[in-house]
Amino acid sequence: MYTSHEDIGYDFEEDPKDKKTMKPHPNIDGGWAWMMVLSSFFVHILVMGSQMALGVLNVEWLEEFHQSRGLTAWVSSLSMGITLIVGPFIGLFINTCGCRLTATLGGLVNSLGWVLSAYAANVHYLFITFGVTAGLGSGMAYLPAVVMVGRYFQKRRALAQGLSTTGTGFGAFLMTVLLKYLCAEYGWRNAMFIQGAVSLNLCVCGALMRPLSPGKGTSLPGGKDPRVLPACSTESVKSAGPLGRTEEKDSGPGNEETLCDLQAQECQGQARHRKNVCALRVLKTMSQLTMRVRKGFGDWYSGYFGASSLFTNRMFVAFLLWALFAYSSFVIPFIHLPEIVNLYNLSEQNDVFPLTSIIAIVHIFGKVILGVVADLPCISVWNVFLLANFTLVLSIFILPSMHTYAGLAVICALIGFSSGFFSLMPVVTEDLVGIEHLANAYGIIICANGISALLGPPFAGKLSEVLRA
């Protein structure tokens, strides 16, 4: 995965006042900021890590539904693609609801997608429940996690993003082992139930995404609202004012009836007053919500569609076209490797140490090493970026020709290491468009990567069937 979106978060809130209050905040680059790193780390494990392990479920779906490889691969591709494609649109939720609520809702939606997929009767059902529902939930949880790390860090932003996004590699390793175990012990349907429960931890991660500054509307201690009136009661009416004194002087039957009438009128008046207050509160809340939605939509639209000058940059347009194909080269092995293992009868060796886990582990080191090399003054970041990209594409072409576990392991190690160049994408994007357009440009790159992840694996599966026919 690409490993750093550090400048995305600052485009969602363009208010200069917010940025001024952000700089002296005690949690910037320390304190609760490291909890943001931890939260984002687990989001990467649960979202990106589980998606990298979908090859395990892809084999189960092929055996269960007896559909073509190309059609079945669409389930995983939809989930991965939608997670990335919806990235720019999740900004609208972040502007109006905030990162915490967006991520929490994303955890619920993602968990719902996993659970509903356990009832799948065919592959087309999985398109909706897993591809669309779980993919949307993943996108809603993933982008806020990246944004919040960017907001909490300034001096150590690259380090924080690097640490948090290593969760993708750890998650691919852990989730592959977990899903293989669950499918073997309980079957793939129960495995999806359990994974749905595990995905609820995304809500916990979302709850940790505490905003830097409190909201404008603060409540009184104890949650009391000064506009809420106490409920009327007979005792309260009797004990206060001239009404109480009248009762003490004369307690005759006529006066008691008059007292009851006065009490009823008083209660009715207070009830009408409470209704009016509630109506005013509802109107005020709706007005504030409308203003937030309008402002959020305005910021979102100007941030993603107001930068038309990006498309006048020919180098950026070429880079965008590259992004449409690049991400599929990293996703395809995770989807089709388990099937290649079964094809060449390498299941026993793969069970000892899965090939997808080799990619995930080496990918972590690839991010760090390629980043260090690219920072050397005598080496151009573009040279590192292009060389790693070429190595990745070449490894993908060689992969099907390897018929032994050792050969596949070497190629998978090359794929994992060279795919670490995704950590350099923000650097080369900034070099193309400048720091002022980095967030908008990177949002478009996310969409391009999502389309690549969506179309790449099904195309590879269909091509495999054609070549074997």
Side-chain angles (χ1 to χ4, degrees):
M1 302 298 297
Y2 44 85
T3 61
S4 99
H5 308 249
E6 53 261 29
D7 290 297
I8 291 179
Y10 289 98
D11 238 29
F12 290 122
E13 292 183 2
E14 292 291 346
D15 189 358
K17 295 181 180 179
D18 295 336
K19 293 183 179 180
K20 289 180 181 178
T21 57
M22 190 179 295
K23 290 181 180 179
H25 201 284
N27 283 324
I28 291 292
D29 291 309
W32 193 258
W34 295 109
M35 290 300 296
M36 291 296 100
V37 174
L38 182 64
S39 173
S40 181
F41 176 80
F42 280 107
V43 169
H44 280 81
I45 288 179
L46 295 171
V47 173
M48 296 304 177
S50 62
Q51 289 188 350
M52 294 301 170
L54 290 181
V56 177
L57 291 174
N58 191 62
V59 174
E60 300 290 337
W61 294 332
L62 284 170
E63 295 178 357
E64 176 78 15
F65 302 118
H66 305 289
Q67 296 291 336
S68 66
R69 295 180 181 87
L71 182 65
T72 306
W74 269 103
V75 180
S76 304
S77 296
L78 272 175
S79 178
M80 293 181 179
I82 289 178
T83 298
L84 301 176
I85 290 174
V86 300
F89 304 99
I90 299 302
L92 180 60
F93 288 91
I94 293 177
N95 280 332
T96 55
C97 304
C99 287
R100 173 182 280 178
L101 182 58
T102 302
T104 303
L105 291 176
L108 293 174
V109 174
N110 181 264
S111 177
L112 179 65
W114 279 93
V115 171
L116 291 178
S117 298
Y119 296 98
N122 51 61
V123 173
H124 301 88
Y125 183 95
L126 289 173
F127 289 166
I128 303 301
T129 57
F130 193 81
V132 176
T133 306
L136 177 61
S138 297
M140 293 179 68
Y142 174 67
L143 189 58
V146 179
V147 169
M148 288 303 291
V149 173
R151 289 179 178 176
Y152 266 85
F153 284 88
Q154 291 180 350
K155 296 179 181 179
R156 303 176 181 177
R157 195 182 305 164
L159 173 63
Q161 292 284 8
L163 290 174
S164 63
T165 54
T166 54
T168 300
F170 284 106
F173 174 74
L174 296 174
M175 290 301 173
T176 298
V177 176
L178 177 63
L179 285 177
K180 285 177 71 69
Y181 171 78
L182 293 177
C183 289
E185 292 292 326
Y186 306 105
W188 71 268
R189 295 184 185 273
N190 290 328
M192 298 196 80
F193 261 118
I194 297 172
Q195 184 63 32
V198 173
S199 297
L200 286 175
N201 286 289
L202 290 171
C203 299
V204 179
C205 296
L208 292 175
M209 297 178 189
R210 188 172 65 191
L212 279 170
S213 56
K216 293 180 181 179
T218 56
S219 58
L220 294 176
K224 297 181 180 179
D225 193 324
R227 294 170 294 181
V228 178
L229 299 176
C232 61
S233 63
T234 306
E235 288 81 1
S236 62
V237 175
K238 287 182 178 180
S239 61
L243 208 57
R245 288 192 294 270
T246 303
E247 185 187 19
E248 292 175 359
K249 291 181 180 179
D250 195 347
S251 58
N255 290 333
E256 288 183 0
E257 183 177 352
T258 303
L259 178 61
C260 290
D261 292 340
L262 290 173
Q263 292 173 0
Q265 292 176 5
E266 185 72 18
C267 288
Q268 290 176 0
Q270 290 186 5
R272 284 195 298 268
H273 184 64
R274 283 198 301 273
K275 289 181 180 179
N276 292 335
V277 170
C278 290
L280 289 174
R281 292 174 64 185
V282 170
L283 289 175
K284 184 177 180 180
T285 302
M286 292 298 296
S287 176
Q288 291 176 346
L289 181 61
T290 303
M291 292 297 294
R292 288 184 63 182
V293 171
R294 290 181 62 183
K295 183 181 182 300
F297 181 80
D299 294 342
W300 171 78
Y301 185 87
S302 62
Y304 286 104
F305 300 101
S308 58
S309 60
L310 288 173
F311 297 99
T312 63
N313 186 333
R314 295 180 181 180
M315 288 292 292
F316 176 75
V317 173
F319 187 68
L320 182 62
L321 292 175
W322 166 86
L324 284 171
F325 299 96
Y327 196 69
S328 61
S329 62
F330 181 57
V331 174
I332 287 173
F334 286 94
I335 301 297
H336 295 289
L337 256 181
E339 187 183 353
I340 293 175
V341 169
N342 292 337
L343 181 65
Y344 297 127
N345 299 318
L346 301 173
S347 298
E348 292 184 4
Q349 293 169 291
N350 190 64
D351 289 340
V352 176
F353 203 91
L355 292 171
T356 52
S357 298
I358 294 177
I359 297 178
I361 294 172
V362 179
H363 181 63
I364 297 173
F365 294 99
K367 292 177 182 178
V368 178
I369 295 174
L370 291 179
V372 171
V373 172
D375 282 337
L376 294 176
C378 58
I379 297 179
S380 169
V381 63
W382 276 101
N383 291 337
V384 178
F385 182 81
L386 294 175
L387 182 60
N389 187 28
F390 176 78
T391 304
L392 176 61
V393 174
L394 185 62
S395 301
I396 296 295
F397 276 110
I398 297 176
L399 183 65
S401 63
M402 295 291 107
H403 298 170
T404 64
Y405 179 83
L408 288 172
V410 171
I411 297 301
C412 287
L414 284 175
I415 291 174
F417 184 84
S418 58
S419 60
F421 77 86
F422 284 105
S423 64
L424 304 177
M425 285 183 64
V427 181
V428 296
T429 304
E430 179 184 343
D431 186 58
L432 288 174
V433 301
I435 187 65
E436 66 276 7
H437 295 299
L438 178 60
N440 293 335
Y442 213 59
I444 300 171
I445 296 297
I446 288 176
C447 278
N449 285 336
I451 295 172
S452 178
L454 183 65
L455 301 179
F459 175 77
K462 192 67 177 178
L463 183 62
S464 175
E465 293 177 348
V466 171
L467 293 176
R468 290 177 185 177

